[in-house]
Amino acid sequence: LQLYGKLVKLPEWVKELENLQKLSLRSTNLEADATMQVLGGLPMLDILRLQDKACKENELRFHPDCFTNLRALELISWGSLKSVIFEEGATPKLEVLLVDHCSSIDEAGFPGIENLATLKEVSLQGYYYTEFKKKLQQQLNMIEPRPNLRIL
């Protein structure tokens, strides 16, 4: 399912899509916490793509016991995104994180990423500050087995 354009809030019927496996939000300018709460409750969601200011805030927070089957998270061309926070117990099956041209991510980057025990790969596309890349590598080094950091 792809939703494109300014929505203000997710349609009510989205939370009823119990078999939805892939979702892409692009330029939707949604409220981040409310959106993540609804999407985090979708039991079969496997791939989530957030693109071009999918949410109006510049911080995403993944709460515990949410996104229980999410295996791939793609953050694409979101110039104002500053941080993505993974609370302990969030996204327990996440394997792949793709960050493509999200150049405003600050040095703190992905607080809590070290809690993602199933993470196998983080891919960065575009320009990122050296300090951010060093901090991210330090965070990934805390995970066993260590995920690959690919800088494309």
Side-chain angles (χ1 to χ4, degrees):
L1 175 65
Q2 295 182 32
L3 298 176
Y4 179 80
K6 205 170 200 173
L7 292 177
V8 181
K9 71 177 217 171
L10 280 175
E12 287 293 317
W13 50 263
V14 169
K15 63 184 166 194
E16 297 170 19
L17 300 175
E18 293 182 2
N19 293 317
L20 184 66
Q21 295 181 355
K22 184 175 181 179
L23 177 64
S24 177
L25 299 177
R26 183 174 178 195
S27 303
T28 48
N29 207 35
L30 296 163
E31 195 274 312
D33 282 340
T35 300
M36 300 308 274
Q37 185 174 358
V38 170
L39 299 181
L42 297 174
M44 300 300 291
L45 191 61
D46 188 53
I47 300 170
L48 177 60
R49 173 180 285 175
L50 302 173
Q51 186 172 358
D52 297 326
K53 202 161 177 68
C55 296
K56 59 186 166 187
E57 291 82 10
N58 43 3
E59 176 183 288
L60 281 180
R61 181 176 296 270
F62 289 84
H63 297 284
D65 304 317
C66 289
F67 296 95
T68 55
N69 278 312
L70 192 68
R71 294 189 193 286
L73 175 61
E74 301 174 357
L75 306 170
I76 300 174
S77 299
W78 190 344
S80 62
L81 183 64
K82 293 196 182 294
S83 69
V84 181
I85 299 166
F86 296 96
E87 294 181 8
E88 193 167 348
T91 63
K93 295 183 180 177
L94 191 66
E95 296 177 1
V96 176
L97 174 61
L98 169 65
V99 184
D100 184 352
H101 290 88
C102 297
S103 56
S104 293
I105 293 180
D106 60 26
E107 189 177 311
F110 299 102
I113 196 169
E114 63 275 5
N115 296 321
L116 304 178
T118 58
L119 193 62
K120 294 179 180 174
E121 181 176 288
V122 176
S123 294
L124 297 178
Q125 293 182 338
Y127 177 79
Y128 299 92
Y129 290 105
T130 302
E131 287 305 311
F132 163 71
K133 292 185 279 190
K134 283 181 185 177
K135 172 73 173 179
L136 179 58
Q137 186 64 67
Q138 289 171 351
Q139 290 172 305
L140 296 178
N141 288 345
M142 298 171 69
I143 303 171
E144 287 296 330
R146 185 179 312 146
N148 291 327
L149 176 57
R150 295 179 56 217
I151 300 175
L152 309 169

